[in-house]
Amino acid sequence: MNEPVVCKPTPWFLLRAAAMILMFGVFAVLFYKDGKTGYREANLSYYLSESFKKAAEDYTASGAAMSPEEWKAYAAAQEVSVPEDATLLPEGTALPIMWPEMLQDHAAMAEKGVSNPKAYFDTYRQDTGLAKSPPEKAFTQRKIQEQWWVFGVCVILLVIALFFLLRTLGRKMVIDGDTFQPAGGKAVAIKDLVRLDLRKWSGKGLAVAWADDGSGGERKIRIDGLTYGGFKAEDGEPAEKLMEALKARFSGEIIDYEAEEEESGESAGKDASEPRV
């Protein structure tokens, strides 16, 4: 008695599924972080950086003529310009936000703050541990909301990928005697198969069979050799072995390119042998 031919999910499929799950998972985490805190932290960095530019402008316009004490008093009284919608800033941000203390230093402003406010702000970021660098412009509420929308899409795709992975892990293709168990659906007697389409088998590892469903109709069965079994020589080419076992027991119509070429050749020969009128 012949041993059953069993084709389980291939490493090729499992690696692809794992890569997709990892990709959607990473994207979901990144968009979640941006929607929850990332864009708001970037906004805070943006408005703080704008205060450094404003301080440089004010110092150039009038601060340079002030005494260190006068400039310190002026800068200490200035507020960072922020939007009225406090939800655009990190949760718990205390308002108003006063200009950073380093902007009160008259000598430092003359030496660094005026010539390169961006570099001066970068020093402030490093000293205070401000994580986000300032964007070119502040993120709007719509931009923040978009992160949640994309996060939701990524979660949906992640769930779909997990579903297909788990479903595939629980399936296999088996030929046991005169019975074929496809990856999906009920087992079918090979004698009930009426057609077998092999046109994509050699190139893509895909075949389609049709079986008599017993009620006058036909059941379509997909045979995926790349997902189940595979074609690695070191593994014994399980999918090819299953197909050979299936064809050995199959008595219906086989559709493949060779058969089509033979039919085409016979038709051309017949046409050529007929006398022209």
Side-chain angles (χ1 to χ4, degrees):
M1 182 176 179
N2 293 331
E3 290 290 326
V5 181
V6 180
C7 290
K8 297 180 179 180
T10 61
W12 173 85
F13 169 81
L14 297 178
L15 285 173
R16 288 182 67 197
M20 291 179 66
I21 290 170
L22 178 62
M23 177 182 68
F24 293 137
V26 169
F27 284 162
V29 169
L30 293 177
F31 282 110
Y32 172 82
K33 289 176 66 177
D34 280 344
K36 183 70 175 176
T37 60
Y39 273 21
R40 291 175 172 83
E41 291 175 354
N43 277 349
L44 177 59
S45 183
Y46 171 80
Y47 291 116
L48 284 168
S49 69
E50 290 296 298
S51 71
F52 277 71
K53 295 178 184 178
K54 181 67 166 59
E57 293 172 359
D58 289 359
Y59 186 90
T60 301
S62 58
M66 298 181 184
S67 68
E69 292 75 17
E70 289 174 334
W71 173 255
K72 181 176 182 179
Y74 171 81
Q78 303 306 306
E79 296 180 6
V80 175
S81 178
V82 296
E84 294 182 3
D85 185 358
T87 63
L88 292 171
L89 299 174
E91 186 177 352
T93 299
L95 297 175
I97 304 173
M98 309 309 293
W99 277 11
E101 187 175 347
M102 62 190 302
L103 294 179
Q104 301 173 21
D105 190 325
H106 191 280
M109 285 296 298
E111 182 181 352
K112 304 174 184 177
V114 173
S115 60
N116 196 340
K118 181 181 182 301
Y120 199 38
F121 174 70
D122 287 340
T123 301
Y124 169 77
R125 279 208 314 124
Q126 294 172 6
D127 293 344
T128 58
L130 195 62
K132 296 289 185 179
S133 59
E136 291 186 4
K137 60 181 181 179
F139 295 112
T140 64
Q141 195 65 255
R142 179 178 177 82
K143 280 293 183 183
I144 294 174
Q145 188 62 42
E146 284 176 359
Q147 307 311 299
W148 289 110
W149 295 338
V150 180
F151 163 73
V153 171
C154 288
V155 169
I156 291 171
L157 293 174
L158 175 61
V159 170
I160 292 173
L162 278 170
F163 167 77
F164 280 107
L165 173 61
L166 294 175
R167 188 184 72 168
T168 302
L169 284 173
R171 292 179 169 185
K172 57 186 176 183
M173 297 193 302
V174 181
I175 288 184
D176 189 359
D178 294 325
T179 302
F180 173 46
Q181 171 61 63
K186 297 180 180 179
V188 60
I190 296 177
K191 65 180 179 61
D192 291 334
L193 297 176
V194 294
R195 288 193 312 284
L196 184 60
D197 188 344
L198 300 178
R199 286 175 293 181
K200 294 182 180 180
W201 182 254
S202 61
K204 298 183 178 180
L206 294 174
V208 179
W210 287 266
D212 186 345
D213 63 6
S215 61
E218 291 182 347
R219 171 188 168 193
K220 187 176 181 180
I221 300 170
R222 177 186 171 91
I223 304 172
D224 188 342
L226 283 177
T227 301
Y228 300 94
F231 297 89
K232 285 189 175 181
E234 57 267 32
D235 296 332
E237 297 185 339
E240 195 62 53
K241 189 179 294 184
L242 179 136
M243 182 56 70
E244 292 301 321
L246 180 62
K247 290 195 294 183
R249 297 165 174 79
F250 178 70
S251 59
E253 176 189 2
I254 294 180
I255 307 170
D256 60 18
Y257 287 119
E258 291 182 2
E260 289 182 347
E261 289 173 359
E262 288 178 4
E263 290 179 2
S264 176
E266 290 176 0
S267 175
K270 182 179 178 181
D271 291 343
S273 64
E274 291 179 353
R276 295 178 180 271
V277 179

